[in-house]
Amino acid sequence: MSRHSGARESSRLDTRLQALQDARELGEGVLPDQALQEAFDVLERASSRRSLSGDHTVVGFFGATGSGKSSRFNAVSGAEIATAAARRPTTSEPLAGVWGAAGSEALLDWLEVGNRHHAQPVEGFADERTGLILLDLPDFDSTHAANREIVQRMVGLVDVLVWVLDPQKYADAALHNGFLAPLASHGAVTLVVLNQVDRLPAHDVQPVLDSLHAILAGEGLGQVRVLASSALTGAGIGEVRAAIRKVAVQRQAQSRRLEADISKAAEDLRHASGDGDAAGIRSATRTQLADELAVAANVPAVVRAVGQSYRLESVRRTGWPVTRWLSRFRVDPLRRLNLRSSSPASLNRTSLPPAGAPERARTDAAVREFADAASAGAPGPWRAAIRGAARAGRERLPDALDQAIAGTDLAANRKAWWWGAFNVVQWLALLILLGGLGWLGVLAGLGYLQLPVPEVPRVEGWPVPTLMIAFGLVLGIFLAITGRFIAAAAAQARAARARRRLNSAVAAAAQELVVEPVEAEIGRLAAFNKALRKAGQA
C-alpha cells in the first residue's frame, strides 16, 4: 500500500471513528446502554490498536474442539512452531508465532498473549520483514468458561479471523449463530478453512464446500473465501499461507478490521435506534400550541378585563361630571387581577385563579399533541425522547405563563388623547349649565325681594339663561353618550392589542419551555442520523 493511499485510508478511518463517537454521544440517554457501550468498546479498541504497531498483522486461528485448528496452525507456521506448541503448558493459553519481533511486544501485551515464539522464516510465507503474528487460540466450544472468554475477547481484537472447521461440524449452530453471523460485516478480514477434507470421499468435498458457501452467504458472508485443507496430506496449506501472506504484505488488515467494527457498531446503533426522521415543528402546530396555552392561562379573561377597564376609565374621565363619580364605586377589573402593578415583571404575579383540573388537562393535551405532531416519523426511542423533552417543562408552565401575562404591557395606565378634550368640554358644558342656573337664581331672588328685575336677553324669543341650561345639559349628556360609543370602539382596539401582546408572551413562554427543548431533540436526532450514515460509509 502506497504512502498516499495509506494516508487517505487513515483519514477516512479517522472520519468514520469521529462520526461513530458523535453518534454514540448523541444517543446518550435515548438508546439502550448496551448498544452505546458496544460502540464505546469499538472506539476504545480502535484507539488502542492504532496506537500500537501498524507494521504487524495479527491473525487468529479459531475453531471447535476436534476441528484440527492447532494442527492447521502448526502446519501453516512450520516445524519450529509445531515443536514449541508441543511444549505448551495448557490449551487455555493463546500461543503466538511472531515473524518480525521488533515492535510486537506492546501489541502482544495488549492482546494479553504471554506465550510467544520467535518463528523462523518460512520461504514464500513469512520472515522478519513480513510483520506477522499468528495466534493459536483455545476452542470456542471449550467446557472451560475462561477459554470461551479468551476466544470472545480475541474475536474482537485480532486483525484477521481464520475459522478452521471440520466436515462433521461445519454447520454447527453454536459457531454460526454465536460468531460468524454477528460478524457478517467482517467478511473482508475473515477466512474459512474446511479442514480434514481427507476424511471425506473425493466426490463429497465439493458438495460440502458448496453447502458451507450457501450457509455463509445466508449469514451475509458470501464474499468470504473458503479453502479446503488437510493437515495430514498437506493439501491446501499453500493456499492458506498465500491468503494470510497477502493480507500481511498489504498492511490493510488492521484498517479493514477497524472499518468492519465501525460498520457493525453503526449498524447496531441504527438497529437500536430505528430508521426515520422526525416531522419537525410546523408553524401551524406552534401556533396551535400557543393558542391552547393562552386559553388555559386565562388570556381571554384578561383581554375582557382590558376592555372593561378601558371603558370604566373612559367613563371616569369623560362622563357627565354630575354622575361620573358613581363609577368610582366600581372595581377596576385589571386592578382586581393585579395587572396595574408597576413592579418588575420578574417580581409581579397576577391574581388570576390558579390552574384547575380543566386548565391542567388542556395544557397537557396541548403539549402532548404538539410533541406527537413534531415527533411523527421518528423512531420509537427518539419519539419518546422528544415527548419527554416537551413534558419536561410542563410543571413550570403555569408559573411561566402567569409571569408572562404579568409582564405584558397592557397599556393599562396609558391615557387616551380624546379623554382630555372630552373632559374639558364636559366641564365647560357644566359651567354653562351652572351659569344659566345661577342667572335664573339671581333673577328669582330679585323678584322674591320685590326688587327691580332687569330684562333678560333673548335669542329667538328664548331667554339666554334658559338656553344656557338647556345647552349645558344637552351637551353634557351628548358627550357622555358619545364618549361611551367611542370608548367601546377604543376598548375593542385596546383589547385586540392586548390579545396580540398576551399571545406573543404566551408563545415566548411556550417557545422556551416546550418548543426549544423539542427542537433540540429533533436536531439531535437529525445529527445522530447524519453521524450514523457517515460512520457506516465504508
Side-chain angles (χ1 to χ4, degrees):
M1 181 172 60
S2 70
R3 182 174 59 185
H4 295 296
S5 61
R8 286 195 301 271
E9 187 168 329
S10 178
S11 176
R12 184 176 69 249
L13 192 58
D14 288 338
T15 300
R16 295 186 64 193
L17 285 169
Q18 184 59 53
L20 181 62
Q21 171 69 3
D22 293 342
R24 189 195 67 82
E25 291 177 350
L26 290 165
E28 289 283 356
V30 178
L31 303 183
D33 291 340
Q34 182 179 355
L36 296 173
Q37 183 61 45
E38 290 173 357
F40 179 78
D41 292 343
V42 168
L43 292 166
E44 285 289 292
R45 289 199 301 268
S47 176
S48 298
R49 181 63 183 94
R50 298 181 80 195
S51 68
L52 299 169
S53 174
D55 294 328
H56 286 82
T57 301
V58 181
V59 180
F61 278 69
F62 300 87
T65 304
S67 63
K69 165 180 53 64
S70 296
S71 299
R72 178 55 43 210
F73 171 84
N74 292 333
V76 171
S77 301
E80 292 79 5
I81 299 298
T83 303
R87 297 197 298 266
R88 290 175 71 184
T90 67
T91 56
S92 63
E93 290 186 9
L95 166 69
V98 183
W99 288 267
S104 66
E105 294 298 321
L107 178 56
L108 288 168
D109 288 342
W110 176 66
L111 292 169
E112 299 180 16
V113 177
N115 199 349
R116 311 167 186 179
H117 297 270
H118 185 189
Q120 294 301 314
V122 177
E123 186 177 356
F125 175 53
D127 54 28
E128 286 298 302
R129 295 171 298 176
T130 307
L132 177 63
I133 299 175
L134 296 187
L135 298 180
D136 185 18
L137 301 167
D139 302 328
F140 71 80
D141 59 350
S142 172
T143 57
H144 298 285
N147 289 1
R148 295 195 302 272
E149 289 176 2
I150 291 174
V151 173
Q152 288 283 4
R153 182 170 59 83
M154 287 298 184
V155 164
L157 298 180
V158 300
D159 300 326
V160 179
L161 303 100
V162 177
W163 295 94
V164 180
L165 313 182
D166 68 85
Q168 286 73 36
K169 295 190 292 185
Y170 70 89
D172 184 10
L175 168 67
H176 289 274
N177 296 336
F179 294 96
L180 291 174
L183 294 173
S185 59
H186 292 63
V189 290
T190 300
L191 178 66
V192 175
V193 177
L194 182 64
N195 198 25
Q196 302 173 352
V197 293
D198 54 279
R199 297 183 179 180
L200 292 173
H203 63 274
D204 286 339
V205 173
Q206 191 58 47
V208 171
L209 288 173
D210 293 342
S211 174
L212 180 55
H213 269 296
I215 294 173
L216 293 173
E219 295 166 341
L221 291 166
Q223 78 277 26
V224 170
R225 188 176 180 186
V226 179
L227 299 176
S229 173
S230 171
L232 182 62
T233 65
I237 293 177
E239 288 82 356
V240 175
R241 283 178 173 174
I244 293 175
R245 175 177 173 77
K246 181 179 180 180
V247 296
V249 171
Q250 288 178 340
R251 300 283 195 272
Q252 294 180 348
Q254 178 198 135
S255 297
R256 288 180 177 177
R257 169 62 204 253
L258 293 179
E259 287 183 347
D261 287 344
I262 296 170
S263 296
K264 183 178 185 301
E267 178 60 22
D268 289 344
L269 285 179
R270 186 204 63 76
H271 185 266
S273 167
D275 295 320
D277 290 295
I281 299 173
R282 295 183 174 86
S283 178
T285 57
R286 193 195 305 261
T287 301
Q288 183 179 0
L289 172 67
D291 291 345
E292 291 296 319
L293 293 181
V295 174
N298 289 312
V299 165
V302 175
V303 172
R304 286 194 299 272
V306 169
Q308 293 169 357
S309 175
Y310 183 87
R311 288 194 295 271
L312 180 60
E313 191 67 18
S314 296
V315 170
R316 290 175 178 173
R317 294 180 179 273
T318 66
W320 194 30
V322 177
T323 59
R324 71 169 63 170
W325 60 275
L326 294 173
S327 63
R328 299 188 181 279
F329 291 102
R330 296 174 58 187
V331 179
D332 188 328
L334 287 180
R335 198 174 300 281
R336 186 170 61 244
L337 297 177
N338 195 33
L339 291 175
R340 280 189 177 273
S341 175
S342 58
S343 303
S346 59
L347 303 177
N348 197 21
R349 290 294 184 273
T350 73
S351 296
L352 289 164
E359 289 76 19
R360 288 195 298 271
R362 187 165 197 147
T363 298
D364 291 347
V367 172
R368 183 173 59 253
E369 290 175 5
F370 174 79
D372 287 346
S375 64
W382 291 96
R383 190 162 58 248
I386 294 170
R387 291 171 176 171
R391 292 193 300 268
R394 184 175 53 187
E395 296 301 322
R396 296 166 51 200
L397 261 179
D399 186 67
L401 293 176
D402 187 84
Q403 188 172 340
I405 292 173
T408 300
D409 180 14
L410 301 176
N413 299 316
R414 194 173 302 166
K415 298 178 181 179
W417 64 268
W418 64 275
W419 287 352
F422 266 59
N423 190 47
V424 170
V425 177
Q426 279 284 28
W427 281 107
L428 180 61
L430 181 60
L431 289 176
I432 293 173
L433 171 63
L434 294 177
L437 290 174
W439 193 342
L440 290 180
V442 170
L443 293 177
L446 291 176
Y448 180 79
L449 296 174
Q450 300 297 311
L451 296 175
V453 178
E455 185 68 24
V456 177
R458 294 177 178 272
V459 175
E460 298 292 335
W462 293 88
V464 171
T466 303
L467 291 176
M468 290 174 63
I469 294 172
F471 178 77
L473 181 62
V474 171
L475 180 59
I477 295 174
F478 172 79
L479 290 174
I481 295 174
T482 303
R484 285 181 179 272
F485 282 106
I486 297 175
Q492 289 182 352
R494 180 165 289 192
R497 289 194 296 272
R499 179 183 292 105
R500 289 193 295 270
R501 292 175 181 175
L502 288 168
N503 286 342
S504 177
V506 168
Q511 177 74 19
E512 178 183 356
L513 296 179
V514 180
V515 177
E516 289 180 359
V518 168
E519 285 179 332
E521 288 302 313
I522 292 174
R524 184 153 72 121
L525 169 58
F528 172 84
N529 285 336
K530 181 179 180 181
L532 211 56
R533 286 192 295 270
K534 185 180 293 186
Q537 289 176 351

